Structure formats: structure tokens, C-alpha cells
Amino acid sequence: MTQKTKTKPAPVSEARPPAPDVTGARDVNPAPRRALEALLRTALPEVSLGGLALTELSAALSRAHDAWGLGLRHLRHEVRAEDGGTLSLYADRTRIGSAEDAPEALAATYAGMQALDERGLSSWAVLPEGHRVMLEGGSRQLKVLVEDARDFESQWAVHTGGMHLRTGRQVSEQLGEDLWVEVARPTSGRDLVQDAAWEVVERIKDRALRRSLQKQAEERGILGAVLSARSGEVEAAMRRSPGLYFTVNAAVARGPLRTLDGWRGLQKEATAALETAQEAQVNRLVAMLGNTVRSR
């Protein structure tokens, strides 16, 4: 599929010495790797990039896209080392930006490449080609696809808990038998913050403080009420946080399977992963906001 904007990567002279991070050895400047780690931890909370080579950084970026659910899985996501030790993010030939760029700017660039429907689900197909179908009720059609089809991909279908689901297979020399299930439940960073703010207020044991914040919420919204207990510096830092612009909206489970029971296992795995990740996002925000309110 053709992207709206494409930029050619800057030519690299063969005489130029290799970038310091190509093999994953020591970084001359650790700041780019720290910035990339902060970005990827919005989707992969336990990720540690220390000592990883560029191919491994690129693989981590691809896993993050599985969780962000931006609908850009059809693109090849890479981390490239550039002049000065900069780590830049690429989607196919398009340079998204530097890992040290403001998260809002990176998110805006990715947003310009999306094709979302009215439900916030991606209209881009994952596979470059192959049989694309609308799943019917029951399991007969799915059983045939999972057990017999080569390359196929389904349209989004309604799933449990406000989620949507699509599934597919891509057979290739690199991947082999790759059956995948993706579940998605789009939510914005602002919605998560709102949910966390309400959770913070509901957990406050000091009734007077709780009533005060609830009253303020009627005038300035729940987030404004909670932030009234914070300093302006903390609020500004929160707005710069990658977690406000990159949230977990999806989960992908995959395996070399050709059985309906195996597919059902992937579906359960992906559903549980998304439930856990989205709950953890809110809990992290609750902990951050709650600590500030209690210290008031």
C-alpha cells in the first residue's frame, strides 16, 4: 500500500565509520537509548534496551506497535542509528523522527499514516495480498480458514468486553506458519487519565478531601480537580509523558498453528493480554496521581 508521504533515507558514505550502536555495544551518548526505552515502555513495561543491537531494538519497536494498535502492522518498523548517535524510528522508508523527539510529535506523524474507521479501528490490511473475508457466525468458516487456508485475513469482528477481533495467517520463508489473532479496544491517553483521576478520588479515605475534589470536578472536570493538588511542573511533565500519547490499544498473539483449538488459545491469550495491559495503564496513572494527592 502506498503511504501519503515517503522520504528517502539519507545516503550513508561507505567511508564513514559505523555508528556506535550497530552491534549493541556501549553507547557514546546514552540519552537516545533512554528516550527510546521510555517510549517503548508505554507498551512493554519490562523492556530493557541496554546492550541490544539495532535489529533487536527494531524487533522491540515492532512488538510495541502490536500493543499500541495504531494499525500500522503492514509496515516494517526499524530503529536506525544516525549521525551523533541519534536513534531514529522508521516505518518502511518514512522517517518518523528521533527517539528524543517530543512524544506528541511522534504520535502526530504516526497518526498521519493511519486509516481509522468510525470505531477507531484500522482500515489497513496487515497482509500485502491474500484472501480477506468477513467472519460469519459459528466456527465452520473459521475452521476451514485456520486449517486449510494459506494467506488469509479477516475483517474486524465484534468481540467480548467492548473489543474487536481480526485474525489471519501469513506463510513465508522468514515467518513459516504464522497464524495470528489481534484484539483491539481503542482508548486515548486522555481517557485513561480521566479514568485514573476518578479512581484516585474514589480511593481517598479523607471524606472532606474527597468531597472537595468532587465539588471541584463539577467546575473544572475530574482531571482539573486532581491536578489542583499538583504543582504546575508536575502537570507539565505529565503532558510530556509518552504514556499520554502512546497507549495500549491492542494485543497480538501468534503461533505456527493449523487447528481451531489452537486458534481459540491464541484468542484467549490476546484477550487476556489486552485486559491486563489496559488495567495496568490505569493503575500506573492512579499510583502517580494518588501519591501526589496524598502528599497534599
Side-chain angles (χ1 to χ4, degrees), residues 44-111:
L44 311 169
E46 306 302 322
V47 74
S48 176
L49 303 185
L52 297 186
L54 285 175
T55 53
E56 295 170 303
L57 297 182
S58 296
L61 179 60
S62 295
R63 293 199 306 274
H65 271 277
D66 284 352
W68 288 332
L70 299 176
L72 302 176
R73 289 178 55 212
H74 59 290
L75 303 177
R76 180 184 179 186
H77 298 282
E78 292 181 273
V79 178
R80 300 183 187 178
E82 299 182 342
D83 291 341
T86 297
L87 294 178
S88 293
L89 313 183
Y90 279 79
D92 284 353
R93 295 182 179 181
T94 301
R95 185 181 186 275
I96 304 303
S98 163
E100 296 176 271
D101 288 348
E104 184 176 9
L106 294 174
T109 303
Y110 279 129

Side-chain angles (χ1 to χ4, degrees), residues 36-290:
L36 179 61
E37 188 170 86
L39 176 64
L40 297 187
R41 280 186 174 177
T42 61
L44 311 169
E46 306 302 322
V47 74
S48 176
L49 303 185
L52 297 186
L54 285 175
T55 53
E56 295 170 303
L57 297 182
S58 296
L61 179 60
S62 295
R63 293 199 306 274
H65 271 277
D66 284 352
W68 288 332
L70 299 176
L72 302 176
R73 289 178 55 212
H74 59 290
L75 303 177
R76 180 184 179 186
H77 298 282
E78 292 181 273
V79 178
R80 300 183 187 178
E82 299 182 342
D83 291 341
T86 297
L87 294 178
S88 293
L89 313 183
Y90 279 79
D92 284 353
R93 295 182 179 181
T94 301
R95 185 181 186 275
I96 304 303
S98 163
E100 296 176 271
D101 288 348
E104 184 176 9
L106 294 174
T109 303
Y110 279 129
M113 306 171 75
Q114 292 178 292
L116 303 181
D117 63 17
E118 67 280 359
R119 301 164 297 179
L121 301 170
S122 177
S123 298
W124 289 123
V126 176
L127 304 185
E129 56 186 23
H131 189 45
R132 201 165 191 219
V133 299
M134 179 70 72
L135 290 179
E136 302 171 355
S139 60
R140 181 177 178 180
Q141 176 201 31
L142 190 59
K143 179 179 175 65
V144 172
L145 289 171
V146 168
E147 295 185 356
D148 299 327
R150 183 174 168 84
D151 288 6
F152 79 91
E153 178 180 345
S154 74
Q155 303 278 359
W156 288 105
V158 176
H159 192 40
T160 60
M163 300 181 189
H164 286 76
L165 174 149
R166 62 179 173 177
T167 188
R169 174 187 287 109
Q170 184 174 18
V171 182
S172 66
E173 294 182 0
Q174 296 79 14
L175 299 173
E177 292 274 352
D178 183 34
L179 179 71
W180 53 266
V181 174
E182 179 178 13
V183 294
R185 183 166 55 192
T187 182
S188 70
R190 183 158 295 278
D191 287 342
L192 288 175
V193 173
Q194 298 277 10
D195 291 345
W198 275 115
E199 187 71 22
V200 166
V201 172
E202 291 174 358
R203 292 184 185 184
I204 294 174
K205 295 181 179 180
D206 185 330
R207 294 183 179 180
L209 175 57
R210 186 168 66 244
R211 284 195 299 268
S212 173
L213 290 174
Q214 289 171 340
K215 184 176 180 179
Q216 291 181 51
E218 297 175 2
E219 301 174 355
R220 63 181 73 178
I222 186 60
L223 181 57
V226 172
L227 289 178
S228 69
R230 304 169 62 92
S231 69
E233 292 181 359
V234 176
E235 181 178 356
M238 183 178 179
R239 290 181 177 178
R240 292 192 300 269
S241 171
L244 194 60
Y245 307 99
F246 290 87
T247 58
V248 175
N249 289 313
V252 180
R254 51 170 57 90
L257 307 171
R258 277 192 177 269
T259 67
L260 186 59
D261 286 343
W263 177 89
R264 286 174 174 150
L266 293 179
Q267 175 189 309
K268 291 179 181 179
E269 179 185 337
T271 301
L274 182 55
E275 290 278 11
T276 300
Q278 291 194 326
E279 182 179 354
Q281 285 182 132
V282 175
N283 288 338
R284 286 194 295 271
L285 288 168
V286 167
M288 180 178 65
L289 293 172

